[in-house]
Amino acid sequence: MSYRIEKDTLGEVKVPTEKYWGAQTQRSKQNFPIGNEKMPKEIIKAFAILKKSAAKANHDLGLLEKEKSDAIGYAADKVVAGELNEHFPLVVWQTGSGTQSNMNVNEVLSYVGNEWLKEQGSDLVLHPNDDVNKSQSSNDTYPTALHVAAVLKLEDEVLPAVKILKDSIAVKVEAFKDVVKIGRTHLQDATPITLGQEMSGWHRMLEKAEVMIGESTEHLKDLAIGGTAVGTGLNAHPEFSDRVCVEISKSTNRTFSSEKNKFHSLTSYDEAVYAHGALKALAADLMKIANDVRWLASGPRSGLGEITLPTNEPGSSIMPGKVNPTQSEALTMVVTQVMGNDATIGFAASQGNFELNVFKPVIAYNFLQSAQLLADGMKSFEERAVRGIEANYEKIDEFLNGSLMLVTALNPHIGYENAAKIAKKAFDENTTLKEAAVASGLLTEEEFDEYVVPEDMTHTL
């Protein structure tokens, strides 16, 4: 392998010739051989959007030549397009401010921008600190990149996935609105409900999650850029922050604003905690939905078996013909990961000291992983499970008609205690509820048929 020599304030460093990064990136690669978790591509993309926006703002303020601004923009566009991914090799487990990833971006943009300037016949040379990082610090650029990345991830991937799953469930709510089945509380028989009503609870969960996630993104649209090192804005023009936010808004078709108190935005990650809390709430609901699906489909002959799921793959390496609720299992594993990520994010966000929080990369990594897993998990669950759910009418009727909890309809007519006696008699003697009711002498067969109508029990009278 051939190398070139790059320099930084500590001296010379050998960098592979074919790589576009510089000395500080190379030092980070050497000094942090920890794990395999790379800085998320979403963070790198958001950094590129930020750097292009900062270059434009600096030019408009008379602080950066147009050619340099254009060169940074050219290189940044390539990063956003994913053309330079191989040149961002750093792991999450680095300096807690994310300084080395900020410099990785600065160095790559400088390298590519300088190549472009040469092609244009320009004698100007980009410097990663003086030009690409002008008016900035890692302390304000990293939280800015995180917020931009989080908003794009939530609005472009998570919320659309929620809608896909929600709309698919809505189809099932309508299809099964008149399918009367036995309800269950405490995993025991309860009063009747329709399968559509049961699924409508799932639908409402997703509606609520959609609203909460959407609301949380608004807080993420306040950006730290302009705070520079400690929140005072040292070395940045007073108009820099607002101008950068305008440019980021144009690039993303969102409305981002400058956080009014930069001392807060450099050391606090309460917006990320809040937004991830909404993801955790979604995850909790998905756990309930996925568990309900696999319970209702359990068996199929020795379990509940009230619904059937698509047959996607063989379920056992030893039991022929076995089919398992694998999509539910995958989604519930996603949920456990999200719950763990939430604990990490909450703890990391609590570790701000004085003017800075130095747990930025781990917050970003866990937040974006949760968002990706939830989006992918919901889409797979919808396509390969929910969409193919069918009702097992025979099994549903068997459980409904055999349930002792239909006796609840008798409460207004013979009282709770008498109704309980009938239910106990039916259970002890292994007879039907109707047989026990007539044998009790408390009401006639005709009265039982009039009072115990499962369909009527699913609606408010």
Side-chain angles (χ1 to χ4, degrees), residues 225-266:
I225 192 66
T228 65
V230 296
T232 61
L234 179 67
N235 291 348
H237 190 284
E239 297 178 21
F240 176 74
S241 179
D242 287 332
R243 287 176 179 264
V244 172
C245 290
V246 168
E247 295 301 324
I248 293 175
S249 299
K250 289 179 183 177
S251 295
T252 60
N253 292 316
R254 271 82 170 176
T255 302
F256 288 96
S257 302
S258 175
E259 163 60 46
K260 64 182 179 181
N261 188 310
K262 300 299 191 299
F263 306 106
H264 162 270
S265 58
L266 268 60

Side-chain angles (χ1 to χ4, degrees), residues 288-326:
K288 185 265 194 289
I289 294 169
N291 277 336
D292 279 1
V293 166
R294 60 178 165 185
W295 270 107
L296 291 171
S298 63
R301 293 191 176 182
S302 59
L304 298 182
E306 291 185 343
I307 63 173
T308 60
L309 299 175
T311 301
N312 296 323
E313 66 275 309
S316 172
S317 61
I318 189 174
M319 293 175 281
K322 196 173 194 301
V323 178
N324 296 326
T326 53

Side-chain angles (χ1 to χ4, degrees), residues 211-384:
V211 171
M212 289 187 287
I213 294 170
E215 193 272 334
S216 74
T217 63
E218 296 307 310
H219 299 283
L220 290 166
K221 291 175 182 176
D222 291 334
L223 302 181
I225 192 66
T228 65
V230 296
T232 61
L234 179 67
N235 291 348
H237 190 284
E239 297 178 21
F240 176 74
S241 179
D242 287 332
R243 287 176 179 264
V244 172
C245 290
V246 168
E247 295 301 324
I248 293 175
S249 299
K250 289 179 183 177
S251 295
T252 60
N253 292 316
R254 271 82 170 176
T255 302
F256 288 96
S257 302
S258 175
E259 163 60 46
K260 64 182 179 181
N261 188 310
K262 300 299 191 299
F263 306 106
H264 162 270
S265 58
L266 268 60
T267 195
S268 173
Y269 275 90
D270 47 14
E271 301 100 332
V273 172
Y274 184 73
H276 197 273
L279 293 182
K280 181 174 71 171
L282 169 63
D285 286 337
L286 292 174
M287 179 68 86
K288 185 265 194 289
I289 294 169
N291 277 336
D292 279 1
V293 166
R294 60 178 165 185
W295 270 107
L296 291 171
S298 63
R301 293 191 176 182
S302 59
L304 298 182
E306 291 185 343
I307 63 173
T308 60
L309 299 175
T311 301
N312 296 323
E313 66 275 309
S316 172
S317 61
I318 189 174
M319 293 175 281
K322 196 173 194 301
V323 178
N324 296 326
T326 53
Q327 290 297 315
S328 284
E329 291 168 5
L331 188 58
T332 53
M333 285 194 290
V334 163
V335 170
T336 63
Q337 185 66 47
V338 172
M339 295 294 183
N341 287 350
D342 191 74
T344 298
I345 289 170
F347 184 75
S350 75
Q351 298 303 298
N353 290 294
F354 304 114
E355 279 64 62
L356 191 65
N357 178 298
V358 290
F359 287 72
K360 300 178 190 296
V362 74
I363 292 173
Y365 179 82
N366 281 274
F367 189 105
L368 293 167
Q369 184 193 56
S370 289
Q372 187 70 61
L373 289 175
L374 286 169
D376 291 347
M378 284 186 289
K379 287 186 287 187
S380 183
F381 185 65
E382 185 281 326
E383 180 182 346
R384 297 172 178 87

Side-chain angles (χ1 to χ4, degrees), residues 152-215:
L152 296 179
K153 200 72 171 178
L154 294 177
E155 293 188 346
D156 291 350
E157 297 190 44
V158 176
L159 288 174
V162 172
K163 186 177 187 305
I164 288 170
L165 180 56
K166 182 189 69 172
D167 290 349
S168 187
I169 290 174
V171 172
K172 300 301 177 181
V173 170
E174 178 63 24
F176 302 139
K177 65 180 180 180
D178 297 323
V179 180
V180 181
K181 53 161 286 181
I182 200 66
R184 294 181 181 88
T185 59
H186 303 271
L187 297 182
Q188 305 296 306
D189 296 351
T191 56
I193 189 174
T194 71
L195 184 55
Q197 287 173 328
E198 191 167 43
M199 292 183 173
S200 76
W202 307 347
H203 183 267
R204 181 58 174 159
M205 288 175 183
L206 296 174
E207 279 188 330
K208 298 281 282 188
E210 196 172 38
V211 171
M212 289 187 287
I213 294 170
E215 193 272 334

